Amino acid sequence: MVTATGCPAVEVNDTELRDAGAATALPQGQWSQAAEEARRAVGAAGEQALLRLLRTGGVPQIRHVAAESDSYGYDIAAGPSAGHAHLEVKSTTNPTRLVIHLTRHEYEVMASDAAWYMVAVLVGRDGNAVNVATVSRAWLHSAVPADQDEAGRWESVRLEVPAYAVSPGLTTGTWELVVGGPVPSRPIWTFQPAVPLSA
C-alpha cells in the first residue's frame, strides 16, 4: 500500500521482520522517512549548488522554477531568451556511479522541449558542487522502458547512467559552463569518450 504521494503507507522495520522469521520476505530496497529526507536534502543541495555556479558563471535570467511548482518538468530556467535552457537537476553524493530517478512527466517534457537538459551534480560535504555533467538526451530516450499495454504505463524509472552517456560540464545548445571554468574540474563518474548517439 502506498500513500497518494507514492510513498509506502507504513515504514518497514527489517529487525522486527527478521525476529518474526520473515527475513526471506524482506524486499531488496526499503523506504524510510529518514532516507527520503536525506534524498530530498541532497536534491535541494544540488539545485542550490547549480544555481550558485550559474550565477558565478554569469548566466543571465536564472529562475528556480522547482521552488514554485513540480509541474514544469525541470528545476531551473536559465539563460537569455534567445538561448534559454530548462535544466533538470539530478544530485548525488556518490562519485563512483550516477544513479538517477526520472519521472514520466520529466521524460515527456524532455521529449517535447528542445531546451530541456539533464544536469548531474556531485554534491560535496559542504553542500557545494564538486562537479557537474550533462547527461545525453539520446541515451535517456533509449533507456526508459516501453509501455507494453494500454492498461499500464511506467510513471518513474531508476536508471544507472553509463560513463559514455555523461559529458563533463554543462552544455546547452547555445552556451556552456565548462570544466576548468566556473565548474570544478575534479573528474567524476569515469568520463569516457562519447559513443555516437543521435540527438
Side-chain angles (χ1 to χ4, degrees), residues 20-52:
T24 58
L26 282 176
Q28 289 294 332
Q30 294 183 23
W31 179 90
S32 71
Q33 186 66 39
E36 180 68 15
E37 289 171 5
R39 185 191 64 77
R40 288 181 190 265
V42 170
E47 289 176 18
Q48 290 302 317
L50 184 59
L51 286 164
R52 285 191 296 274

Side-chain angles (χ1 to χ4, degrees):
M1 294 192 316
V2 297
T3 66
T5 61
C7 296
V10 296
E11 275 193 53
V12 177
N13 182 325
D14 63 340
T15 304
E16 290 175 9
L17 288 173
R18 198 174 296 111
D19 291 346
T24 58
L26 282 176
Q28 289 294 332
Q30 294 183 23
W31 179 90
S32 71
Q33 186 66 39
E36 180 68 15
E37 289 171 5
R39 185 191 64 77
R40 288 181 190 265
V42 170
E47 289 176 18
Q48 290 302 317
L50 184 59
L51 286 164
R52 285 191 296 274
L53 287 173
L54 293 170
R55 291 182 185 114
T56 301
V59 176
Q61 301 176 20
I62 301 165
R63 184 173 160 207
H64 189 199
V65 298
E68 302 167 18
S69 171
D70 289 333
S71 65
Y72 289 93
Y74 54 91
D75 300 307
I76 299 170
S81 57
H84 69 285
H86 299 146
L87 308 175
E88 173 58 29
V89 182
K90 298 300 181 184
S91 309
T92 183
T93 56
N94 186 343
T96 62
R97 65 185 189 136
L98 177 58
V99 176
I100 62 167
H101 292 85
L102 182 70
T103 68
R104 179 71 173 238
H105 179 59
E106 291 164 351
Y107 172 74
E108 289 177 344
V109 171
M110 177 194 82
S112 65
D113 181 358
W116 189 98
Y117 298 88
M118 180 177 286
V119 184
V121 177
L122 179 61
V123 179
R125 289 185 180 170
D126 60 359
N128 287 315
V130 174
N131 212 318
V132 175
T134 305
V135 178
S136 164
R137 290 170 63 107
W139 180 82
L140 287 167
H141 183 69
S142 72
V144 297
D147 294 333
Q148 301 297 314
D149 189 279
E150 291 179 10
R153 61 184 242 145
W154 68 271
E155 290 297 325
S156 179
V157 63
R158 177 188 178 275
L159 302 170
E160 186 162 346
V161 184
Y164 68 81
V166 183
S167 302
L170 166 56
T171 304
T172 73
T174 57
W175 55 269
E176 62 183 6
L177 290 172
V178 295
V179 173
V183 175
S185 59
R186 185 204 264 173
I188 54 167
W189 303 311
T190 317
F191 291 127
Q192 296 176 353
V195 297
L197 291 170
S198 59

